[in-house]
């Protein structure tokens, strides 16, 4: 079992920055990847960014590429999402996700993640 706790959401003006953090606990030695997904009201959950746990390879949705940066701290079992140049369309509940003991992980496929955090709200005012 892996538990995920997100923090760092809030209200920011368009063009501003926020940092989201996700702390994993439990069987973190079995992590394959961690990612961030987001869901705006009335929309489906969508991929934002992901990072492979062993190699640190990063993956981004086109909509956030160049503005968001994902990083990990293996020792602390945390993943951080730095969000810059935020736009109103970035507003959503952001969910941290972990893929544990998966043979393969497609970074943008939510079905490949077997643990999820409770979500943290990001609001961007125009």
């Amino acid at each position: 079992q892996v538990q995920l706790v997100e923090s760092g959401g809030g209200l920011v003006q368009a063009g501003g920055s926020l940092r989201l953090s996700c702390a994993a606990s439990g069987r973190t030695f079995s992590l394959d990847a961690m990612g961030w997904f987001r869901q705006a009201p009335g929309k489906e959950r969508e991929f934002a960014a992901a990072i492979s746990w062993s190699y640190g390879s990063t993956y981004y949705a086109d909509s956030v590429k160049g503005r968001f940066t994902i990083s990990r701290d293996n020792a602390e079992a945390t993943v951080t999402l730095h969000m810059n140049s935020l736009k109103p369309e970035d507003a959503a509940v952001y969910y941290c996700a972990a893929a544990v003991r998966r043979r393969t992980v497609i970074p943008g496929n939510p079905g490949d993640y077997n643990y999820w955090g409770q979500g943290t709200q990001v609001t961007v005012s125009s």
Side-chain angles (χ1 to χ4, degrees):
Q1 292 280 2
V2 171
Q3 295 78 41
L4 303 174
V5 178
E6 302 117 330
S7 61
L11 171 64
V12 65
Q13 285 189 329
S17 299
L18 275 178
R19 184 181 69 179
L20 304 182
S21 294
C22 177
S25 60
R27 299 177 66 86
T28 58
F29 54 85
S30 297
L31 281 168
D32 294 311
M34 291 188 72
W36 289 94
F37 290 76
R38 64 187 187 181
Q39 187 168 18
K43 295 188 177 181
E44 293 194 356
R45 190 170 298 191
E46 66 174 11
F47 169 70
I51 188 165
S52 67
W53 208 248
S54 296
Y55 300 104
S57 303
T58 57
Y59 309 86
Y60 298 96
D62 288 343
S63 58
V64 308
K65 201 171 294 182
R67 300 186 297 119
F68 290 13
T69 302
I70 189 170
S71 61
R72 80 201 191 300
D73 183 326
N74 293 63
E76 298 293 329
T78 59
V79 63
T80 300
L81 186 67
H82 295 267
M83 306 185 294
N84 297 319
S85 303
L86 282 161
K87 305 175 182 180
E89 52 264 41
D90 293 318
V93 176
Y94 282 70
Y95 296 91
C96 175
V100 175
R101 299 181 68 84
R102 295 291 195 176
R103 290 187 178 182
T104 60
V105 179
I106 298 175
N109 180 15
D112 284 350
Y113 296 83
N114 40 0
Y115 294 96
W116 293 82
Q118 79 285 355
T120 185
Q121 178 73 50
V122 171
T123 304
V124 184
S125 62
S126 56

